[in-house]
Amino acid sequence: MSWGQFWDAVTAPRVVASYKLTFGASLLAAAINSVFGLIVAWVLVRYSFPGKRLVDALVDLPFALPTAVAGIALTALYAPNGWIGHYLQDWWGLKVAYTPLGVLVALIFIGLPFIVRTVQPVLEDVEAELEEAAATLGATRWQIFAHVIFPAVLPALLTGFTLAFARAVGEYGSVVFIAGNMPMISEITPLIIITKLEQYDYTGATAVAVVMLVTSFALLLLINYLQWLSRKHNPEK
Amino acid sequence: MSIEVRNVTRAFGNFVAVDNVSFEVASGELMALLSPSGAGKTTLLRIIAGLETADSGQILFHGEDATDTHVGERRVGFVFQHYALFRHMTVFDNIAFGLRVRPRHLRPSREQIRDKVMKLLKLVQLDWLADRYPHQLSGGQRQRIALARALAVEPKVLLLDEPFGALDAKVRKELRAWLRRLHDEIHITSLFVTHDQEEALEVADRVVVMNAGKIEQIGTPQDVVERPATSFVAEFLNLDDHGPAWLVEAKIKHRGYVLAVDKELRHTA
Amino acid sequence: METTVDTALAPPARRRLARRSAREEPAWVRLALIFIALAFLLLFLFAPLAAVFAGAFRKGWEAYIASIIEPDAWSAIKLTLLAAGIAVPLNLIFGVAAAWAIAKFEFRGKSLLITLIDLPFSVSPVVSGLIYVLIFGLQGWFGPSLHEHDIKIIFAVPGIVLATMFVTFPFVARELIPLMQAQGTEEEEAAVVLGANGWQIFWRVTLPNIKWGLLYGVILCNARAMGEFGAVSVVSGHVRGLTNTMPLHVEILYNEYNFAAAFAVASLLALLALVTLALKTLVEWLGREQINRGQA
């Protein structure tokens, strides 16, 4: 395969559309999970409510549930006749399954535990005295969160974000069922690789895979860098 | 601004940490709350600060009931044993924190904040450290920064929880003397908690000696050393070494007769 | 007079006020956050789980049982158990060996090894499968010579086992490395001084210290081994009754619009996930107990 062929294979309009969807949806899913994952971690660390231990254990469900099972379950739920999908359709005319939104839903499912599980231990370690010191200095509860607690968990949140993003970019099983896989619209990059393989286009599949691999490596480096940063800023740990 | 503690009680389950305690810190006074570890003195200090609430009793600042005032509105300066500096902020930002979190209409201008912080840094003799992060400082420096941070909001009273407890012996001695001089300079009503007798006697104007949640004696250092009110005070202050002598308990046996002395016989000067 | 009335009436009211200390939010904020968290989890985690079981039993018990004991499903179950049965023990051995080497010895290329161990986590499962196709497939590096000797790896059981092993490799090692690093080498050194040999040290000193972490890694490794979809999908070839694992079988049934059967087989995998979570929680708890006892 020459450079020109490689370039053509990885920049074909259908492939580029799949990058946009895969990376865009992964980024958005990781961002949504950062907000809600932080809230979930906060609630699990700080508050008590009935069934908390069960909820805590179930947060890891996306780690344990086979992706294909998650995929068909999410599709059944968010399809226009599904438990949730039919309300979304009736109330807002929103179609989730078989659209790019469906990809987003699957990637949110897959990424949630990465955020919760990286933030949770750090949140547990935030010293009570720091919050009390801020309170005696007159800070409101919100100011204490924004200026004292949040900066302390930010490195962990960023690490979780990167982990969730990296996982989402490569995710296949939970997405293919709900995505609808329409070329140019709801087709993810891993599916492009599979399709090319099924057409015995091994070089084309490899070319796209190389793009994904390079991205994965870049992400891995970024994760290591973030962890190094967080150690630098919390040297007492 | 005086602090008055009135009949304060606080229990954790069956353990009574503070048992019906009353005393007063006069305006401008530096008072020590002295007791062995685990005798409820930190709990009491936290109740005064509003970080914890009493089961019963009242806290009054300058005669006004502050019992139900939220910690942020009590205007107390609190210095923690382990400094509790914000480690992602520079020394400057740490000290400025209390001014910057004020509601907009009460917040000083940028220049005012800078002047104030620099003035405080000079007061604690660390103005050359403004741009450092807490982890770059020694323990003694951190505690002085923590004190400057507490003073920045112009508290009405200053509360210090074992302020020198995490420092090594030499630094502790230096800081002790420094705190005394600082207090002579700014005269803020201060209450500090310690389990170190020497520290309390050397630094404080008056000392409250506590044991098992109760007050044993209140007095000037000279008072408690020369006239310990109870045997606990005498024992705790180790007065055998440098105080006057007295008899706490004795049995005298002579030809089958036993004479027991169960009352304290004190030598008074 | 007024103050006595005050103190007499105040305590109960004050205790309620006391609930809101310096570290707590107002009750309405707390309730709102709990509600948001639970609603989010309900929409994205709990509802899908419930949907699996609802879909599985939609046509009743008999249809459920029938779709599980049906021959193709049964062979998929057997293949899944086989793949996990080979991949998990081997990764257990590799994982312990890798973690042992990394935690207890210094050698060149150590940080490279650590990065490589993480690789399967950061590579898309589809790409992992592709790598095997490129190596062992008909047009791959070893393809022609394998074909000559009539050995089939891709689109056959060995490929499925290899792909499963690759994607599950990091679980045991990653769990053990930080644990073994934290424990250091002091106890092992003490055992050497007391005259123990390598095996004795491993069985009597190292293993008891890492057993909970090891079990934890094995549980997660097994869950992923039985549930892997992307990598296995690429190398399997989807031959019904021969190279279909349970997740692949679920896909085929689903694409044939045989939803009840698809969810029935999926429910077995969901059950496996729940058992995994329960065991994982139990192991975490037991591990913490061991640490607490160690400190006491």
Side-chain angles (χ1 to χ4, degrees), chain B residues 116 119 137 222 236 267:
Chain B
K116 177 102 198 186
K119 220 176 86 193
L137 310 183
Q222 200 183 359
F236 184 57
H267 159 87

Side-chain angles (χ1 to χ4, degrees), chain C residues 161-245:
Chain C
V161 174
L162 280 176
T164 306
M165 274 181 64
F166 180 78
V167 292
T168 57
F169 180 72
F171 285 99
V172 173
R174 268 182 73 125
E175 209 51 59
L176 291 186
I177 291 168
L179 192 65
M180 287 170 97
Q181 274 176 337
Q183 281 165 353
T185 51
E186 271 182 24
E187 290 185 39
E188 277 83 358
E189 282 162 1
V192 172
V193 173
L194 293 169
N197 65 34
W199 267 120
Q200 289 170 321
I201 294 172
F202 179 74
W203 284 108
R204 291 167 185 239
V205 180
T206 309
L207 194 62
N209 276 334
I210 61 169
K211 65 181 171 196
W212 297 121
L214 191 65
L215 200 55
Y216 191 89
V218 166
I219 290 166
L220 293 181
C221 180
N222 179 61
R224 182 70 191 268
M226 293 192 171
E228 178 49 32
F229 181 71
V232 170
S233 170
V234 173
V235 298
S236 135
H238 300 92
V239 185
R240 270 191 116 144
L242 276 181
T243 62
N244 265 348
T245 59

Side-chain angles (χ1 to χ4, degrees), chain A residues 63-163:
Chain A
F63 284 160
L65 193 70
T67 52
V69 177
I72 63 169
L74 287 168
T75 312
L77 271 182
Y78 287 92
N81 59 350
W83 290 345
I84 299 173
H86 108 99
Y87 286 113
L88 295 175
Q89 176 94 329
D90 290 355
W91 292 346
W92 294 301
L94 208 60
K95 273 188 86 156
V96 174
Y98 318 124
T99 70
L101 266 186
V103 177
L104 183 67
V105 166
L107 296 182
I108 290 174
F109 173 86
I110 273 308
L112 179 69
F114 288 98
I115 308 276
V116 178
R117 293 306 187 219
T118 42
V119 169
Q120 215 174 354
V122 180
L123 207 48
E124 269 163 13
D125 275 356
V126 174
E127 294 134 271
E129 282 191 354
L130 291 181
E131 292 174 45
E132 289 172 350
T136 59
L137 293 169
T140 63
R141 197 59 201 143
W142 170 251
Q143 287 172 322
I144 295 173
F145 174 79
H147 299 301
V148 177
I149 302 172
F150 187 72
V153 299
L154 185 61
L157 194 63
L158 282 175
T159 306
F161 178 93
T162 325
L163 288 171

Side-chain angles (χ1 to χ4, degrees), chain A residues 127-140 143-144 146-149 151-152 232-237, chain B residues 46 49 51 71-72 76 78 80-89 94 97-98 100-102 135 142 149-150 153:
Chain A
E127 294 134 271
E129 282 191 354
L130 291 181
E131 292 174 45
E132 289 172 350
T136 59
L137 293 169
T140 63
Q143 287 172 322
I144 295 173
H147 299 301
V148 177
I149 302 172
K232 201 181 113 195
H233 274 276
N234 290 303
E236 283 163 60
K237 288 280 161 66
Chain B
R46 290 169 59 85
L51 292 170
V71 47
V76 295
F78 200 99
F80 294 83
Q81 181 178 0
H82 297 287
Y83 332 122
L85 292 175
F86 308 125
R87 60 170 79 91
H88 60 281
M89 296 182 200
N94 261 284
F97 182 87
R100 287 179 178 160
V101 296
R102 282 190 188 164
H135 65 90
R142 286 185 214 184
R149 180 179 69 177
V153 293

Side-chain angles (χ1 to χ4, degrees), chain B residues 192-205:
Chain B
F192 78 99
V193 148
T194 178
H195 65 269
D196 181 337
Q197 309 85 329
E198 225 181 288
E199 192 169 291
L201 298 179
E202 198 182 303
V203 178
D205 296 322

